[in-house]
Amino acid sequence: MGTLSEQLQKIVPKMGMEIPADTKEESENKIGGKIKRHVDNISLTRKAQAPYNFVPLNESIVESEPIPENDKYPENDKYHDNMLTGYIDCDLKTRTHIYIRGCLTEDEVKEGKEAKDKSDFFSPAKNIRIPGSSLRGMIRTLVEIVSWSKFGFFEDRGLYYRGLADRSNLQGEYQDRMVDKNDYYYPKIEAGFLKKEGHDYKIIPSKRDKNGCQIYRPLFDKYTKIVNGLGKRLNEFDFDVVYFQQAKPSPWPHGGRELKYAKVTSVKDKADVSHPTKGLLVSSGLFGNKKHMHWLINEPGTSKIPIPECDIENYKKDENRKNKANLLEMLKKYPEGIPCFYVEWTDKKGRKRVSFGHTGMFRLAYEKSINEHVPDFLQNESKIDMAEAIFGKAAEKGKESFAGRVFFEDAVLSNPEEDPRMEEAIPQILSTPKPTTFQHYLVQNTDNIHKLNHYNSDTVIRGNKLYWHKSGENWEEKDKGKIEKYKTQYTRIRPVKPETEFKFRIRFENFSEKELGALLFALKLPEGCAHKIGMGKPLGLGSVHITPSLVLSDREKRYESLFDGNSWALPEKNGKTIDKYIQDFGEDIFGKISGEEKKDAISLWDTYRLKQLKAMLDVEKGKQLEEAGKIRYMEIQGLNN
């Protein structure tokens, strides 16, 4: 079976994601403002697989038509004679099970229940619905892609890494910042105490001994976990006051090489002649029986190091950190201060930064955030694209904002008398997206494991992430032993069954013909394609088919009469067919994108980007890839046997 490190290395080299055979195109590595394409000529031994892939970034922005002035200033609100107002009635049919979790009630929150404890489908007032907000988000993403809009609508944050077993060039970067490789890998990290003062966080560095040392390595039995001299064990991510004899850093043999550190052979809970110095004993993750040393740091000194707000915010947003290893959460329990390890650095913008963690080998912050890997022209605030024009632009300090002109209602059951939910079931473990997997999320221009791009590299993100369609037949967890062993990682759900019919309405105001075409283009997909919505997409849940019908309002006649017989007067007017609006939108966008992006295409769906999108939306294509085992998450061989 091999060691865990050896098994991990079977996955680490895999960095390219297979592009469907019928949509492959020669990779481009353009400079001078052009988007670099992800390498696709990957050796068979290193092809990665995942239930998702990416629609590449666009190389240009198609700006929107002018937004009606009154829509920027609601106090002047009115309907324009030359604009389109009306609604789109949509029939939605589930092709697989779909699931959107219901909200916790106030009583359930008081009882301490978590979201994963709520198995029922979203059902406000006991009426099964698909939230309009979910439908809106799904359609906005597609409008953004097909209209050559900017890349947005995501929360920017900094990510973290730890390059211990990583065989790529990232390992070298990690070691360069954390240890002195010219001095037996002596730690460059520093130790101190994290404390909150008002709204600010600061680190009080530990005192240094006569050798300039802050950090020591005390021994414990790797089987019993009992600390030498202390007579007891220290739990993971915990700390305790101890007394010890300071030691001089020296090289010690480790796995065929020497590492330099200050070894402490024993600690006590009370001071004595051989243990005169007070310090803090700190435990990291115990990692089975692999570890035999904790961390030990000196008492705090008097100086203070402020932590920039951006580093605190990124730390809070880090989804991969265990809560019991979260120093900011620990501070709530120990407001007087807690031990931490840190490095100070200056980023490429000249800003002072601080990375910190609960252990000496903590996860470092990348120099760049996700947002810094999106080309500047795809974030140009001076331009308004069609997605913004239709859906609106949120208010931000110093930036223009305006309301959207489209409104999504909840999808309700076509037959409200039926209950389409299945009995409660346990799906396979639903993991969260992992943008830290830079091998997938960033454009790679090489098949060389030692030259992979990561979040410190000058590269770009792959594009819009979408999940493949699947049969939806193999999403339940049947292994009761696994459920019992990892019960905290599982959830229970009551999804809606396949072939369930919903209906919903999308209202729009003061649309141009092109804007209406964009919305319909995203709703009425090519034959054989479907949308994805809700939870469980990696497992095959969430495939739905939408059929739209268009109604245009005759606003002038609308106010000539209040009633039409026994009903409200809602006069309609004729317009183009849905297909014609879609066709005109496609021709308009196709005519505005660059020749480089068109290449040999004859229509919008025939461009490189939308061929990728169409492949991702193609139901049968997804099923074929599923059957071939090409769109599942990778597993470490042997660990799941």
Side-chain angles (χ1 to χ4, degrees):
M1 179 174 171
T3 66
L4 180 60
S5 178
E6 290 169 344
Q7 295 173 61
L8 286 170
Q9 289 175 3
K10 294 177 182 178
I11 282 185
V12 170
K14 298 183 178 183
M15 33 59 85
M17 297 189 69
E18 183 175 11
I19 297 174
D22 59 351
T23 66
K24 281 191 179 180
E25 190 166 303
E26 184 179 356
S27 294
E28 301 176 14
N29 296 311
K30 299 287 179 100
I31 57 175
K34 297 296 184 181
I35 299 294
K36 297 178 181 180
R37 297 287 183 221
H38 193 73
V39 64
D40 62 2
N41 55 333
I42 307 156
S43 60
L44 291 175
T45 59
R46 296 239 299 277
K47 271 187 178 175
Q49 60 191 29
Y52 55 83
N53 214 318
F54 299 83
V55 178
L57 295 174
N58 37 308
E59 296 183 5
S60 59
I61 295 293
V62 175
E63 293 188 64
S64 74
E65 299 167 297
I67 299 174
E69 282 301 309
N70 65 283
D71 288 298
K72 292 187 181 182
Y73 307 101
E75 62 271 18
N76 300 324
D77 199 16
K78 68 176 183 179
Y79 292 105
H80 293 269
D81 293 336
N82 62 336
M83 306 296 280
L84 302 175
T85 295
Y87 56 89
I88 303 169
D89 278 334
C90 297
D91 294 321
L92 182 150
K93 190 173 185 178
T94 61
R95 300 189 64 134
T96 64
H97 292 84
I98 71 166
Y99 181 67
I100 298 171
R101 194 183 298 281
C103 301
L104 290 171
T105 65
E106 187 176 344
D107 288 339
E108 287 171 333
V109 172
K110 289 179 179 178
E111 291 170 8
K113 288 190 176 181
E114 300 178 30
K116 70 182 184 67
D117 299 323
K118 186 85 170 184
S119 65
D120 210 358
F121 197 88
F122 182 76
S123 305
K126 299 184 179 180
N127 295 313
I128 295 171
R129 295 170 178 258
I130 299 173
S133 57
S134 297
L135 296 163
R136 178 187 175 94
M138 176 183 71
I139 297 302
R140 175 175 177 141
T141 296
L142 291 180
V143 169
E144 191 177 279
I145 294 170
V146 303
S147 66
W148 261 248
S149 290
K150 291 178 286 190
F151 185 91
F153 217 59
F154 71 99
E155 181 184 35
D156 186 36
R157 67 181 192 270
L159 301 175
Y160 294 80
Y161 70 99
R162 178 161 42 205
L164 294 175
D166 193 333
R167 293 197 295 146
S168 74
N169 53 334
L170 190 60
Q171 180 189 42
E173 287 206 21
Y174 184 82
Q175 290 185 351
D176 286 343
R177 291 176 63 185
M178 300 295 279
V179 296
D180 186 346
K181 291 186 285 189
N182 296 319
D183 191 16
Y184 300 98
Y185 295 87
Y186 186 62
K188 288 182 179 179
I189 57 169
E190 297 182 85
F193 291 79
L194 180 66
K195 192 170 184 179
K196 187 176 183 182
E197 297 181 352
H199 296 291
D200 301 322
Y201 291 86
K202 297 181 180 179
I203 293 175
I204 304 170
S206 290
K207 295 176 182 177
R208 295 185 181 274
D209 65 18
K210 62 182 180 181
N211 298 307
C213 187
Q214 289 179 310
I215 303 169
Y216 312 86
R217 303 305 306 272
L219 304 175
F220 66 89
D221 186 282
K222 66 180 182 179
Y223 297 106
T224 66
K225 315 302 180 190
I226 294 176
V227 182
N228 288 15
L230 195 61
K232 66 178 182 180
R233 59 181 290 165
L234 201 63
N235 293 326
E236 284 189 315
F237 313 117
D238 203 358
F239 58 90
D240 201 0
V241 175
V242 296
Y243 295 84
F244 67 103
Q245 177 70 55
Q246 292 175 333
K248 182 179 180 180
S250 302
W252 300 92
H254 274 266
R257 65 178 177 179
E258 291 184 316
L259 304 179
K260 187 177 180 181
Y261 54 89
K263 182 192 288 187
V264 171
T265 56
S266 71
V267 299
K268 298 285 187 180
D269 56 4
K270 293 181 180 180
D272 60 26
V273 175
S274 58
H275 300 80
T277 305
K278 185 179 181 181
L280 263 290
L281 180 65
V282 183
S283 170
S284 60
L286 297 176
F287 202 59
N289 295 327
K290 301 293 183 182
K291 290 187 177 182
H292 63 282
M293 291 190 294
H294 287 314
W295 300 86
L296 179 57
I297 67 174
N298 286 324
E299 289 187 280
T302 56
S303 62
K304 296 179 181 180
I305 298 172
I307 303 178
E309 185 178 352
C310 65
D311 290 317
I312 293 296
E313 289 304 311
N314 286 335
Y315 190 95
K316 289 178 179 178
K317 294 174 184 176
D318 183 13
E319 298 172 347
N320 296 321
R321 181 176 288 104
K322 294 180 180 179
N323 199 51
K324 60 183 178 181
N326 189 317
L327 293 179
L328 302 187
E329 289 298 315
M330 290 184 193
L331 265 182
K332 295 176 182 178
K333 185 178 179 181
Y334 303 101
E336 67 278 6
I338 53 174
C340 71
F341 300 84
Y342 66 96
V343 291
E344 295 180 88
W345 50 288
T346 303
D347 65 18
K348 293 181 179 179
K349 294 182 178 180
R351 299 175 299 182
K352 292 291 185 182
R353 304 285 300 279
V354 177
S355 282
F356 60 97
H358 69 284
T359 176
M361 292 290 107
F362 58 87
R363 293 163 59 241
L364 275 173
Y366 282 105
E367 291 196 15
K368 296 181 179 180
S369 69
I370 298 175
N371 198 48
E372 290 176 275
H373 293 277
V374 179
D376 290 342
F377 75 91
L378 289 176
Q379 305 179 75
N380 191 339
E381 291 292 335
S382 66
K383 293 184 178 181
I384 298 175
D385 57 46
M386 191 171 288
E388 286 178 328
I390 291 174
F391 291 89
K393 189 174 182 181
E396 292 183 43
K397 186 177 181 180
K399 297 179 181 179
E400 182 182 27
S401 65
F402 46 85
R405 290 171 285 131
V406 64
F407 313 93
F408 285 72
E409 298 179 3
D410 290 351
V412 298
L413 289 172
S414 298
N415 179 8
E417 301 302 318
E418 70 174 333
D419 185 351
R421 294 170 297 179
M422 67 175 288
E423 293 299 316
E424 190 176 75
I426 299 177
Q428 296 170 32
I429 292 176
L430 289 165
S431 60
T432 56
K434 298 291 190 297
T436 47
T437 308
F438 57 82
Q439 299 94 333
H440 292 183
Y441 280 76
L442 295 178
V443 167
Q444 302 295 339
N445 309 114
T446 176
D447 192 32
N448 186 337
I449 184 64
H450 300 294
K451 294 183 179 180
L452 293 182
N453 289 324
H454 46 73
Y455 285 100
N456 284 344
S457 305
D458 293 324
T459 188
V460 296
I461 59 174
R462 292 278 303 281
N464 294 88
K465 176 183 172 183
L466 298 177
Y467 286 91
W468 293 100
H469 288 287
K470 292 184 177 182
S471 63
E473 296 173 353
N474 304 302
W475 57 270
E476 289 187 68
E477 181 58 77
K478 302 293 187 181
D479 189 332
K480 293 183 179 179
K482 284 181 69 175
I483 294 172
E484 180 60 29
K485 186 175 181 180
Y486 304 107
K487 55 187 175 183
T488 59
Q489 299 181 44
Y490 283 98
T491 185
R492 296 176 182 273
I493 65 175
R494 287 195 68 191
V496 164
K497 300 172 185 175
E499 305 301 315
T500 301
E501 296 181 359
F502 289 84
K503 57 185 178 182
F504 66 97
R505 176 169 290 181
I506 304 170
R507 295 181 290 110
F508 58 91
E509 297 175 351
N510 289 336
F511 264 31
S512 69
E513 290 191 354
K514 300 300 187 300
E515 290 170 336
L516 180 55
L519 192 58
L520 292 168
F521 195 101
L523 284 166
K524 188 177 180 181
L525 300 177
E527 188 71 26
C529 293
H531 294 86
K532 275 272 207 178
I533 198 167
M535 289 177 57
K537 297 185 191 75
L539 303 178
L541 278 66
S543 297
V544 299
H545 184 266
I546 294 175
T547 304
S549 60
L550 174 65
V551 176
L552 295 179
S553 173
D554 190 326
R555 304 308 300 180
E556 185 175 349
K557 290 184 178 180
R558 167 70 178 85
Y559 295 104
E560 289 180 356
S561 177
L562 184 60
F563 296 103
D564 181 8
N566 294 324
S567 303
W568 296 108
L570 299 172
E572 302 170 5
K573 67 180 180 180
N574 295 326
K576 300 176 183 177
T577 64
I578 286 178
D579 288 341
K580 181 60 176 170
Y581 282 117
I582 290 173
Q583 178 186 339
D584 289 351
F585 162 77
E587 290 176 354
D588 181 67
I589 298 296
F590 188 71
K592 292 176 179 176
I593 63 178
S594 67
E596 188 72 27
E597 291 182 282
K598 292 178 186 175
K599 283 201 170 178
D600 299 324
I602 59 174
S603 70
L604 197 60
W605 277 115
D606 199 34
T607 58
Y608 176 75
R609 289 183 67 241
L610 293 208
K611 282 164 69 175
Q612 308 301 305
L613 173 62
K614 188 175 180 180
M616 294 293 298
L617 300 175
D618 190 310
V619 174
E620 291 305 316
K621 180 71 179 177
K623 289 181 181 179
Q624 292 168 12
L625 292 171
E626 178 188 21
E627 189 173 347
K630 292 184 177 180
I631 55 172
R632 59 174 175 80
Y633 281 118
M634 294 186 298
E635 297 176 345
I636 300 175
Q637 297 176 13
L639 289 190
N640 294 310
N641 294 338

